[in-house]
Amino acid sequence: MVSSLDGFIAKVDGSVSWMHSADNYDKGIELTDAYIADFLKAIDCYMMGSHTYEHALELGWPYGDVPVYVLTGRPLKSDKANVQFISGDLTEIVLKKLKPNYTNIWMVGGTKLTKELLRLDLVDDINVTIVPTLLGNGTLFFDYIGKERPLHLKDVTAFKDGMVELWYEIKKE
């Protein structure tokens, strides 16, 4: 997920045009196409809600041919062979359908699905990139999960444009 420093993932109107940075941090690494390609190679499955799916179509489909599972209760269609629409019990979907078939399932966007996956203890890691901006309001990434979760910092990457990627493992209790 990409978030503003104050924890928002979208403006009040839903726009994400702010998700870039013109800042300059000399100690950071360059966010190159090769860096992004290496990162994306490790993902063998994407999971998202229907609103994130529709938003991704509007912005330009970045997921290529990697399998994408869209959780929805609405009838949706896709001309992409790698997109599958599913609904039902999240625990069964993750533990019985996805985890046995994929090594690195990447949850994309959205607060509803993210919150529910966290509540159900179905998330292993949280990877969030902080954009050096304060939005002041909008859609919060983590709003009222309902339980405390200890985390372990696995890695931090600072980029030349001032963005910082934080990678946390969720400690299992």
Side-chain angles (χ1 to χ4, degrees):
M1 179 57 74
V2 176
S3 171
S4 63
L5 182 60
D6 52 352
F8 295 100
I9 62 169
K11 290 184 175 184
V12 174
D13 65 2
S15 72
V16 293
S17 59
W18 57 273
M19 283 189 180
H20 64 280
S21 174
D23 195 16
N24 185 20
Y25 177 61
D26 291 334
K27 295 179 190 177
I29 66 167
E30 190 71 37
L31 184 59
T32 64
D33 290 342
Y35 179 94
I36 294 168
D38 285 345
F39 176 80
L40 294 177
K41 279 183 206 171
I43 300 169
D44 59 353
C45 170
Y46 291 100
M47 179 177 167
M48 65 185 69
S50 60
H51 295 291
T52 299
Y53 167 73
E54 291 169 328
H55 198 63
L57 290 174
E58 291 170 7
L59 294 175
W61 190 252
Y63 308 108
D65 294 332
V66 176
V68 175
Y69 291 86
V70 180
L71 284 88
T72 184
R74 300 185 290 139
L76 295 172
K77 294 181 182 176
S78 179
D79 60 353
K80 300 179 183 317
N82 62 317
V83 173
Q84 189 172 18
F85 300 103
I86 56 176
S87 62
D89 181 85
L90 269 179
T91 301
E92 285 194 24
I93 290 169
V94 171
L95 297 180
K96 293 183 179 174
K97 183 173 183 79
L98 301 181
K99 276 202 169 191
N101 297 303
Y102 302 102
T103 304
N104 191 2
I105 304 163
W106 195 263
M107 190 4 235
V108 180
T111 60
K112 292 178 192 174
L113 185 55
T114 301
K115 276 195 314 190
E116 196 57 27
L117 290 167
L118 285 166
R119 281 190 195 129
L120 294 170
D121 295 323
L122 297 172
V123 177
D124 298 322
D125 293 345
I126 296 173
N127 189 311
V128 61
T129 300
I130 306 297
V131 177
T133 194
L134 298 169
L135 289 181
N137 63 16
T139 303
L140 282 170
F141 184 28
F142 298 115
D143 64 336
Y144 312 106
I145 295 166
K147 64 194 245 180
E148 186 175 330
R149 297 305 313 255
L151 305 174
H152 166 70
L153 183 63
K154 290 176 79 171
D155 203 1
V156 175
T157 305
F159 297 101
K160 285 204 174 288
D161 63 3
M163 291 197 265
V164 178
E165 180 183 75
L166 303 170
W167 180 10
Y168 289 99
E169 175 183 10
I170 297 179
K171 291 184 176 183
K172 302 298 179 188
E173 298 172 351

